[in-house]
Each structure stands twice: as C-alpha cells, then as structure tokens.
Amino acid sequence: MPSGPPARITDAPLFVVPRTLDALRAWRAGPKLADLRPEAPEHARLAAELDRLGERLLGGIGAHPTRFWAMLQIRQSLEAVAGERPRTRRCFCQELEHLLAILGIDDVDGLVAFYLTER
C-alpha cells in the first residue's frame, strides 16, 4: 500500500459557469468549520487556510477550468494542515467536501481521504 498521497490526479474539464462562481464566493464568505469552537486556536489556522484556498480558486478557476488544477489547489491546502489532530483534519475535510460539491468534483483519486486518515 502506498504511504504517500495519490501520485496521480485524474483530470477532466470543469464547467465553470456564473452560478458556480457565485456558489464559490458564497462559500468563501460564509461560516466554516461549524464543528470546531470558534475560540479554538486551530479554528483560526484552518479558517485562514480555507480563505487562502478560496482566493486561489476564485483567482484561477476561470483560466484553469480543470479538475487537475482545482485538486492541486486543494492538495496544497491539505498539505498545509496535514500536521493537525485527526478531529481537526476531519472538520477541515468536511469543508473540502462541500467545496468539491460546489465545483462538481468527486474525490475519485482519494486525495481528501488520504489526508483525512493518514497519521
């Protein structure tokens, strides 16, 4: 069994329409990490990483409307929080699953699942 994250990310075009961008903006502006106490120190760290991810996606998805590009952005955020406790990573990955649904992406490569269960 491989010990690292999936080496290959399946590519496919994404259909980024105004409704998708509106939903992405709403996700970025809305509350996140409902299962973590807002005063918890990890809440601030994870919320900041989710904000950075939202900015990267909104700034580039129009020019790079592919599953591969979006998953690379998500992978960058997953790697940034890989050292967090398992419960904290689960809360983070719940947010990512919501984001993947907005983008119409399935985690067929197991990228999110890897970071959720690893360590």
Side-chain angles (χ1 to χ4, degrees):
M1 176 165 226
S3 62
R8 186 177 157 144
I9 297 173
T10 307
D11 199 11
L14 293 179
F15 300 100
V16 180
V17 296
R19 183 178 59 220
T20 305
L21 295 174
D22 289 344
L24 187 54
R25 284 186 198 99
W27 173 83
R28 183 190 57 176
K32 295 173 195 64
L33 303 165
D35 291 341
L36 284 179
R37 294 183 335 257
E39 66 275 4
E42 60 268 20
H43 188 281
R45 286 192 307 272
L46 271 59
E49 185 57 42
L50 289 168
D51 287 343
R52 285 189 292 273
L53 174 58
E55 289 298 319
R56 286 194 312 271
L57 288 169
L58 280 167
I61 198 85
H64 309 282
T66 66
R67 183 183 186 285
F68 180 79
W69 185 86
M71 292 302 280
L72 287 180
Q73 305 313 305
I74 291 168
R75 183 179 191 165
Q76 183 178 338
S77 290
L78 284 165
E79 289 173 352
V81 302
E84 297 287 345
R85 294 177 310 159
R87 181 184 183 291
T88 305
R89 286 196 318 267
R90 275 194 303 277
C91 292
F92 189 81
C93 288
Q94 286 174 343
E95 288 294 333
L96 294 182
E97 288 169 359
H98 183 211
L99 179 60
L100 290 171
I102 290 169
L103 296 173
I105 297 175
D106 291 325
D107 186 22
V108 296
D109 304 312
L111 183 66
V112 175
F114 170 78
Y115 284 97
L116 181 59
T117 59
E118 189 63 17
R119 293 167 189 77

